[in-house]
Amino acid sequence: MLISMASFSPPTRFSTTPSSHSKPHLSHKPFISLSPINRLFLLSTLKASASESGIGTSGSAAASVEVEPQVEQSAPEPPPPVPEKNDSAAGNNGSVAAVAEEVTLVSNFKDPRWVGGTWDLKQFQKNGETDWDAVIDAEVRRRKWLEDNPESSSNESPVVFDTSLIPWWAWIKRFHLPEAELLNGRAAMIGFFMAYLVDGLTGVGLVDQMSNFFCKTLLFIAVAGVLLIRKNEDLDNLKKLLEETTFYDKQWQATWQDENSSISKIE
Amino acid sequence: MNSMALKSFVGLRQVSPEKTHLTGQTKPITFRHRKVKIVAGKYSPLVSGRNLRVAVIGGGPAGGSAAETLAKGGIETFLIERKLDNCKPCGGAIPLCMVGEFDLPLDIIDRRVTKMKMISPSNVAVDIGQTLKPHEYIGMVRREVLDEYLRNRAKENGATIMNGLFLKMDIPKDKTSPYVLHYSSYDEKTGGVGEKRTLEVDAVIGADGANSRVAKSINAGDYEYAIAFQERIKIPDDKMVYYENLAEMYVGDDVSPDFYGWVFPKCDHVAVGTGTVTHKGDIKKFQVATRNRAKDKIQGGKIIRVEAHPIPEHPRPRRLSGRVALVGDAAGYVTKCSGEGIYFAAKSGRMCAEAIVEGSENGKKMVNEDDLRKYLKKWDQTYWPTYKVLDVLQKVFYRSNPAREAFVEMCADEYVQKMTFDSYLYKTVSPGNPLEDLKLAVNTIGSLVRANALRREMDKLNV
């Protein structure tokens, strides 16, 4: 414990100036989708909140010192084109260096139809009915936006929208039906071919196959297969999933393999 | 859902590998061990003129409770710890059952958390804990307080607490000669310099945490670890009111790609932190994101301490060798998903010590590897299902933003909350209601499908 404390304590971590300096850049791989403006924004938050905490507290203050020049470097760059909703955020970022304390971070997600933490369904009316497709589209866009601009949570304006508000048939209509044709067709073809094959090999007719347990199992496998493997990469994904589920078991069992090699059964 | 999962997981442990290995083993080895067995079983030698001596390396919850149990069982116990006032970076949450099982005084619990808030990537906040009964809570402790209390209790029971830094140990060739521990001792006489000393013991319990030297000296192998980063922030009193008995968990790709960000209330401040296995280099960025997500609630706070610590992801490949056993973080007993370790550390320490006490018949006889194996066997039997369930939960629900959204939606369900809290607070798994389980499964799959459908649309927006 002590050792780990030592090796992770702030001073050692921050003393390697060059590496910690370059880190934020290297580290952006998983966040490739972030636009440059966001990176700027992240850094400025760090700086903002670190300076809140008072200089010289500890590691985080040191970190902000490292980061500062970067903010200045990137600030003069002309802001890249951003979606309209982002405008106010960009404006904030420009002035962030000056007003570190009261950065009211980023405009929250704004949309006239987003009222009181949920989609105002009245505004989605079309021919007297709610246009659920439009609600789904709006929510997709909101989530996309949030992914790029994570928002502070707040107790005053909670988010109450829940995807289960959208009725199940709207989901089916939107996401399943376009694919259903393909799947049904595929299932029918495989089913026919299998029935043919079984008949050809065993001489059991189509009607008799229905009362046969083996054939029913085959049918089940075929349907499950059609549902699970829709594209070629699905096969790989399933394989990976299987490995993933057994990985932890192996890690736990490692110590028992050892036992088997060093001690044999007592009885 | 828990119970459903558990039923199928129990017994999955490793019954079959054991058998296949036995048959697959070459003859000479079996023979050699059979011989050893006879010696150990029939003539387990008495220790003459003294009691069995056991050293516990590390004075955390695992070491403290192990030393206490050993000392109570009549074994000559030495506990070696370098930093007796160590305040380890740690969430500090303990389940309710630990208070009873370890007989902890209520005044070491700083705060009683009765409400949890889970906040999804799209900021849907769900309150968990409405199902708690009035006397139920999650205790928040400071590690420096808890550790010291457990150590003192070990001392009262007769264990010798030594301020020292364990360096290495010599492993004996045969089954009865002592292990020789080398450590530098720090006491009033030696001061800050430390004096090299040795200690002869018959068995060793390694409770020295993630960077265990005991583990290194028995070649226990390494484990994957997550790094947890935490800032203790003193926030204004009016903001602290909100965190009076409430803890927050943030999930999302911004706070951590494979874990969660948290705000835990401490004695007079909050701990804000996050952890990750896969993107350790980005930890500072995640920390900033966590702070940003909690921004309004912690505004105006002062950071009073920054800390980071490795958290094991799975047990070491070898947790036992000869008369040396690992417990707690050193062995890797931290759950996935929740990242809980204090209770499991204390419990494993006690279980291991019990095995030694039993095997040595209260310190009269020499112990051997088989006695210690009993601890391992019992441990895996008791807790493997818990670990596995949490591993599955983490894999299913922390894998992506849509999955996290579904997770939060699922947690809004009262039945889920009841099941989670019951299994967390009491560490037992009560069988659920099959109908409710089924309903839950359907709802969860529904949430997952919806969230993933949205995600696919989001990806289309990208192109």
Side-chain angles (χ1 to χ4, degrees), chain A residues 98-138:
Chain A
V99 272
E101 180 61 52
E102 66 267 26
V103 210
T104 38
L105 258 195
V106 216
S107 55
N108 285 346
F109 176 75
K110 284 204 182 70
D111 189 304
R113 295 172 296 179
W114 180 257
V115 180
T118 185
W119 293 105
D120 185 12
L121 295 181
K122 281 192 218 97
Q123 298 187 43
F124 287 93
Q125 299 284 334
K126 207 164 114 190
N127 305 331
E129 277 173 25
T130 311
D131 182 5
W132 292 111
D133 256 354
V135 180
I136 293 178
D137 278 334

Side-chain angles (χ1 to χ4, degrees), chain A residues 61-229:
Chain A
S64 79
V65 175
E66 306 278 322
V67 172
E68 213 162 355
Q70 249 176 349
V71 176
E72 252 111 60
Q73 270 167 23
S74 46
E77 278 171 23
V82 269
E84 354 129 69
K85 281 172 201 148
N86 237 354
D87 270 353
S88 54
N92 262 348
N93 279 324
S95 59
V96 130
V99 272
E101 180 61 52
E102 66 267 26
V103 210
T104 38
L105 258 195
V106 216
S107 55
N108 285 346
F109 176 75
K110 284 204 182 70
D111 189 304
R113 295 172 296 179
W114 180 257
V115 180
T118 185
W119 293 105
D120 185 12
L121 295 181
K122 281 192 218 97
Q123 298 187 43
F124 287 93
Q125 299 284 334
K126 207 164 114 190
N127 305 331
E129 277 173 25
T130 311
D131 182 5
W132 292 111
D133 256 354
V135 180
I136 293 178
D137 278 334
E139 176 64 9
V140 164
R141 221 156 291 136
R142 186 179 82 92
R143 290 207 173 171
K144 178 91 192 134
W145 192 87
L146 281 177
E147 206 139 280
D148 298 342
N149 310 274
E151 204 169 87
S152 309
S153 64
S154 131
N155 292 321
E156 284 75 48
S157 51
V159 175
V160 288
F161 179 77
D162 177 352
T163 48
S164 60
L165 286 179
I166 303 172
W168 60 271
W169 50 263
W171 295 98
I172 301 263
K173 207 171 115 199
R174 164 113 187 210
F175 294 101
H176 179 62
L177 289 191
E179 272 200 335
E181 199 96 330
L182 178 83
L183 296 182
N184 287 346
R186 197 178 286 170
M189 282 188 282
I190 293 176
F192 174 76
F193 180 70
M194 297 254 271
Y196 178 88
L197 200 71
V198 171
D199 195 347
L201 288 176
T202 63
V204 181
L206 184 64
V207 177
D208 294 331
Q209 282 184 28
M210 284 297 114
S211 55
N212 185 315
F213 177 73
F214 172 72
C215 292
K216 275 185 189 162
T217 321
L218 219 58
L219 184 71
F220 181 75
I221 293 172
V223 171
V226 168
L227 282 177
L228 286 175
I229 306 169

